[in-house]
Amino acid sequence: MLTSIAGRAVIVTGASKGIGKGIARVFAAKGAKVMLAARGAADLDAAVGEIRAAGGTAEAQVCDVTDWGSVQALVAATEAAFGGVDVLCANAGVFPQKKIVDLSPEDWDHVLATNLKSAFLCVKACIPAFERKGGGRVVLTSSITGPITGFPGWTHYGASKAGQLGFLRTAAMELSRYGVTVNAVLPGNIVTEGLEGLGEDYLRQMAESIPLKRLGAVEDIGHAALFFASDEAGYVTGQTIVVDGGQVLPESLDAMNEI
Ligand code: NAP
């Protein structure tokens, strides 16, 4: 049982939908004060309303994680609202599917900026706040795609998610001097607005390839993030956890038929 998160100030980016909203809900249910960030104000306000209706403490900040000034404003707003920052969940991301032949340089830059540069910007912006608090936690949302698996149409996405892990290993070393741990959750296929946008065929095909025989829920990722953010995980840094229902395990198509 993790008991250490109540009262902590937590930033979750990409929190208006999907996994980010799930992370925010899980942390708020454990008594954390959560700052939800995304670009779209309407979805953000709706997510904050859901958390407050369930008895949680939440605020919203419109933020584009690719923009340095916007990210700095997010951290300042969190310190103003909650008196500091204890946990950063850098989760915002996009996953438009396009094969290399159709992929433009602009498509590449958009995905790398949203998924990878944003991790650098968010971590950098939080360092002074973590210093003021004497410690902190960073939890990145990476993916199995890139670090472990490949899928046609996601070279840019896979590069961004594998890049996050390269970033985190050195960031974990650099931020140790501030008492900050840096870890990452690698989700498999989690039911979110973004994933549903990939279509019925994609969802069915993915569910069939998962040993636990279901797509993941956003809370599955929230609970893993909660572990990394807890006092109990204070000696864990630079690490990753795969949360995918066993999706990366089968060695062949036939292996699934043997289950
Ligand atoms: P989603 O349902 O599409 O939600 C994405 C969230 O990110 C939204 O709140 C969106 O809000 C926000 N966002 C996008 N661009 C942003 C920007 N520039 N600045 C600030 N916020 C931004 O996606 P999801 O499925 O929950 O995915 C969340 C994270 O998990 C991503 O990093 C994704 O790569 C990762 N992941 C997901 C899965 C999965 O199966 N779902 C699997 C592996 C990894 P606005 O558009 O309003 O800004």
Side-chain angles (χ1 to χ4, degrees), residues 127-153:
I127 287 176
F130 289 146
E131 263 193 293
R132 282 189 277 278
K133 276 279 188 150
R137 296 278 187 277
V138 175
V139 184
L140 307 181
T141 305
S142 177
S143 177
I144 58 170
T145 311
I148 301 176
T149 62
F151 200 108

Side-chain angles (χ1 to χ4, degrees), residues 9 13 46 57 78 99 106 130 141 166 169 176-177 213 228 233 242:
T13 67
T57 302
T78 309
K99 291 184 181 165
E106 292 74 21
F130 289 146
T141 305
R169 293 191 179 98
S176 64
R177 67 182 298 161
K213 296 293 182 200
F228 281 137
V242 173

Side-chain angles (χ1 to χ4, degrees), residues 13-21 37-41 43 63-66 90-95 110 114-115 141-145 157 161 164 186-195 202 218:
T13 67
S16 62
K17 298 178 201 157
I19 290 174
K21 188 158 92 170
R39 292 166 304 177
D43 288 336
C63 171
D64 180 345
V65 293
T66 68
N91 165 82
V94 291
F95 36 93
H110 168 62
T114 308
N115 299 359
T141 305
S142 177
S143 177
I144 58 170
T145 311
Y157 179 76
K161 293 292 166 179
Q164 285 183 333
L186 278 58
N189 281 267
I190 311 298
V191 181
T192 64
E193 290 88 335
L195 197 81
Y202 177 89
V218 291

Side-chain angles (χ1 to χ4, degrees), residues 4 7-8 10 20 31 45 50 65 71 75 77 88 115 117 135 140-141 147 154 161 163 206 221 227 250:
S4 57
R8 300 285 165 85
V10 181
D45 289 342
E50 275 180 42
V65 293
V71 170
V75 175
L88 164 67
N115 299 359
K117 182 183 176 191
L140 307 181
T141 305
W154 277 311
K161 293 292 166 179
M206 279 300 165
I221 307 306
F227 169 68

Side-chain angles (χ1 to χ4, degrees), residues 140-232:
L140 307 181
T141 305
S142 177
S143 177
I144 58 170
T145 311
I148 301 176
T149 62
F151 200 108
W154 277 311
T155 51
H156 50 345
Y157 179 76
S160 73
K161 293 292 166 179
Q164 285 183 333
L165 302 192
F167 169 77
L168 101 81
R169 293 191 179 98
T170 296
M173 294 175 67
E174 291 188 14
L175 271 66
S176 64
R177 67 182 298 161
Y178 309 111
V180 177
T181 66
V182 188
N183 295 290
V185 181
L186 278 58
N189 281 267
I190 311 298
V191 181
T192 64
E193 290 88 335
L195 197 81
E196 282 169 346
L198 299 174
E200 277 298 315
D201 282 352
Y202 177 89
L203 297 178
R204 184 187 36 73
Q205 177 251 129
M206 279 300 165
E208 284 170 3
S209 70
I210 297 170
L212 287 179
K213 296 293 182 200
R214 68 168 175 91
L215 299 172
V218 291
E219 285 76 12
D220 292 319
I221 307 306
H223 291 131
L226 185 66
F227 169 68
F228 281 137
S230 68
D231 281 352
E232 289 84 345

